[in-house]
């Protein structure tokens, strides 16, 4: 757990954040806030959570020097291997904490939204572990491109609901999860997967993922004797980025870079680069940068990565952008997939397409930062779930036959 200067008591990060919720959810949000404020200073809760991270999720995750990838990039690249966690992504850090809170609140059911499916798999996993019912909302488009994770969630005992409204992606899944929560709030906790939503979600999701940055900072000092020159992470909603940034926010010499999904290009309409192209608005319960039209209506987003295909971003990222503490850069689908291929072929690691946006950032920034720079990239998830998408992109699906 960490203690940051933000948010304030009302859940604001400068002008961003807050609570924009229907009356029916006020009591549940206040209950969650009260339980979390007590839990984060409760030695018994902290010990139980830490034991789950160590004994169940497999922490600490490795810090790995990607030497062959570094040769191609032109400077030293370190990978924080969140892909090696149980369930294959950083998502398990947050979900174990929220599932514990759910038990403490006496609730019996978890609901979640998911894009790439890693948050859904993590939620289904924690629900099975703790004997909770589980329903996961997922856009219909994402159930097709992430069918392996749909099967994993169902095998773990979760109900997966394919959302057919709107663009049938992550934004619409989150809409449906909020509707469910309003009608079942007495016994259900909404386990939000990213650093968005109404206060206290951006804070508590950040805190549960801050273990990534805290570990990485200490590992850099222990194994390499110095902090990195820059920390890079992909940004959709932004949970993995906030998690690793949290360990370095007070190290002014360490640059922080968030890499957004630009899709076909940030200058086009087929993009998810919210901090590059968005404007300030309200989405899913908090104020932040949002992709919206001149009438304030949320625009559809696009990315090859289901996990980054979202028109909003967590309010703390908006705060870090406007204060200049972090820099956010767009990465196209093509740039991300080229980085995906480069890591596969140089290191024998298949990364999530989400994480490939951060790898592409390393490729782009290395010439600017110079050959003596050390870049720390958060490899937020593994790419098993993306093999079908990548196989189609590189045209390697199918079997080559000889006569």
């Amino acid at each position: 757990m960490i203690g940051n200067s933000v948010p304030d008591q009302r859940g604001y990060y400068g002008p961003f954040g807050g609570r924009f919720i229907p009356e029916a959810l006020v009591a549940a949000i206040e209950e969650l806030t009260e339980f979390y404020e007590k839990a984060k200073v409760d030695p018994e809760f902290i010990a139980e959570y830490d034991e789950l991270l160590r004994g169940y999720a497999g922490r600490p995750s490795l810090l790995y020097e990607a030497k062959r990838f570094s040769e191609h990039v032109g400077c030293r690249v370190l990978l924080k291997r969140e892909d090696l966690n149980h369930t294959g992504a950083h998502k398990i850090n947050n979900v174990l904490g929220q599932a514990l809170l759910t038990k403490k609140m006496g609730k019996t059911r978890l609901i979640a939204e998911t894009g790439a499916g890693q948050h859904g798999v993590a939620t289904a996993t924690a629900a099975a572990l703790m004997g909770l019912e589980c329903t996961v909302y997922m856009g219909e488009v994402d159930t097709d491109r992430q069918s392996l994770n749909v099967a994993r969630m169902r095998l773990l005992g979760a109900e997966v609901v394919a959302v057919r409204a709107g663009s049938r992606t992550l934004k619409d899944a989150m809409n449906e999860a909020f509707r469910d929560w309003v009608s079942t709030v007495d016994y259900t906790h909404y386990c939000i997967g990213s650093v968005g939503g109404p206060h206290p979600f951006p804070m508590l999701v950040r805190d549960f993922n801050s273990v990534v940055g805290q570990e990485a900072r200490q590992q850099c000092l222990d194994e390499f004797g110095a902090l990195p020159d820059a920390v890079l992470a992909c940004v959709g909603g932004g949970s993995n980025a906030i998690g690793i940034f949290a360990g370095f926010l007070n190290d002014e010499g360490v640059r922080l870079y968030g890499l957004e999904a630009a899709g076909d290009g940030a200058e086009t309409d087929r993009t998810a680069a919210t901090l590059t192209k968005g404007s300030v608005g309200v989405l899913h319960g908090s104020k932040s940068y949002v992709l919206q039209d001149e009438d304030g209506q949320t625009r559809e987003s696009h990315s090859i990565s289901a996990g980054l295909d979202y028109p909003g971003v967590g309010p703390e990222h908006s705060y870090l952008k406007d204060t200049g503490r972090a820099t956010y850069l767009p990465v196209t689908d093509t740039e991300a997939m080229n980085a995906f291929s480069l890591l596969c072929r140089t290191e024998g690691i298949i990364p999530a397409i989400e994480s490939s946006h951060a790898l592409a950032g390393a490729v782009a920034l290395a010439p600017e930062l110079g050959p003596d720079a050390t870049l720390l990239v958060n490899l937020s998830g593994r790419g098993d779930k993306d093999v079908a998408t990548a196989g189609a992109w590189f045209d390697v699906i199918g079997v080559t036959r000889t006569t």
Side-chain angles (χ1 to χ4, degrees):
M1 312 292 177
I2 61 173
N4 276 26
S5 59
V6 288
D8 64 20
Q9 289 189 334
R10 299 180 305 137
Y12 277 88
Y13 305 76
F16 305 106
R19 290 175 178 170
F20 297 83
I21 55 175
E23 185 69 25
L25 292 180
V26 170
I29 287 287
E30 300 226 342
E31 178 189 33
L32 175 63
T33 304
E34 180 182 346
F35 269 84
Y36 180 62
E37 291 294 342
K38 292 178 180 175
K40 69 182 183 182
V41 295
D42 177 359
E44 182 179 341
F45 179 90
I46 294 171
E48 192 173 0
Y49 176 61
D50 286 347
E51 175 54 28
L52 284 170
L53 291 182
R54 186 194 63 78
Y56 188 73
R59 303 206 71 87
S61 65
L62 292 176
L63 182 69
Y64 170 73
E65 182 173 3
K67 293 183 178 177
R68 294 195 65 233
F69 183 81
S70 298
E71 290 175 9
H72 283 75
V73 169
C75 65
R76 174 190 269 177
V77 177
L78 310 176
L79 302 178
K80 182 58 174 167
R81 296 290 307 276
E82 290 298 291
D83 58 311
L84 298 180
N85 293 336
H86 180 45
T87 71
H90 72 289
K91 295 291 187 182
I92 194 72
N93 307 318
N94 164 49
V95 164
L96 288 173
Q98 291 205 49
L100 269 183
L101 278 176
T102 303
K103 297 278 285 186
K104 299 288 184 188
M105 290 188 290
K107 298 192 175 184
T108 58
R109 178 174 179 256
L110 286 173
I111 58 172
E113 85 297 333
T114 197
Q118 295 301 87
H119 175 58
V121 169
T123 305
T125 298
L129 177 68
M130 299 187 194
L132 300 167
E133 293 180 57
C134 182
T135 299
V136 179
Y137 292 91
M138 191 171 191
E140 186 179 41
V141 169
D142 295 335
T143 62
D144 291 336
R145 55 182 172 175
Q146 302 291 337
S147 58
L148 175 63
N149 273 341
V150 173
R152 292 172 73 192
M153 285 182 267
R154 287 174 172 158
L155 288 170
L156 290 162
E159 177 190 16
V160 180
V161 179
V163 177
R164 297 181 172 84
S167 60
R168 298 174 295 149
T169 56
L170 180 57
K171 170 177 69 71
D172 310 290
M174 203 162 181
N175 289 340
E176 288 302 312
F178 268 113
R179 290 189 185 100
D180 181 322
W181 199 26
V182 167
S183 60
T184 63
V185 68
D186 289 345
Y187 59 94
T188 297
H189 172 63
Y190 181 8
C191 184
I192 288 182
S194 199
V195 285
H199 178 69
F201 283 106
M203 176 181 68
L204 69 85
V205 176
R206 174 198 69 192
D207 291 356
F208 286 134
N209 275 308
S210 66
V211 64
V212 181
Q214 291 166 358
E215 273 183 13
R217 187 180 190 281
Q218 193 60 51
Q219 288 169 321
C220 285
L221 292 173
D222 292 344
E223 299 177 28
F224 301 99
L227 297 178
D229 296 287
V231 176
L232 290 73
C234 64
V235 175
S239 63
N240 90 92
I242 282 293
I244 197 163
F245 287 177
F248 300 90
L249 281 172
N250 296 324
D251 298 309
E252 294 184 1
V254 179
R255 303 185 193 186
L256 306 178
Y257 290 97
L259 289 309
E260 294 196 294
D264 291 348
E267 73 283 2
T268 73
D269 289 334
R270 282 171 52 83
T271 184
T274 307
L275 288 162
T276 303
K277 292 287 289 184
S279 54
V280 177
V282 172
L283 179 64
H284 293 142
S286 67
K287 182 185 291 185
S288 192
Y289 280 93
V290 179
L291 291 178
Q292 53 192 341
D293 62 23
E294 57 274 13
D295 297 322
Q297 299 299 308
T298 304
R299 287 172 38 196
E300 304 296 348
S301 57
H302 165 75
S303 170
I304 190 173
S305 166
L308 304 182
D309 194 351
Y310 182 64
V313 67
E316 190 166 2
H317 283 295
S318 295
Y319 174 74
L320 293 176
K321 167 189 161 68
D322 278 11
T323 58
R325 180 62 188 94
T327 301
Y328 296 85
L329 302 172
V331 172
T332 65
D333 288 349
T334 299
E335 292 167 332
M337 295 310 292
N338 288 343
F340 175 100
S341 177
L342 182 60
L343 192 73
C344 289
R345 291 171 179 266
T346 57
E347 297 291 344
I349 298 171
I350 300 177
I353 294 177
E354 288 86 346
S355 311
S356 300
H357 288 71
L359 295 166
V363 173
L365 288 166
E368 173 187 335
L369 298 177
D372 295 330
T374 296
L375 310 186
L376 170 61
V377 176
N378 196 19
L379 202 67
S380 56
R382 69 188 186 208
D384 309 35
K385 64 187 178 56
D386 293 322
V387 166
T389 301
W393 178 275
F394 294 112
D395 194 22
V396 295
I397 294 289
V399 177
T400 302
R401 302 183 186 282
T402 59
T403 55

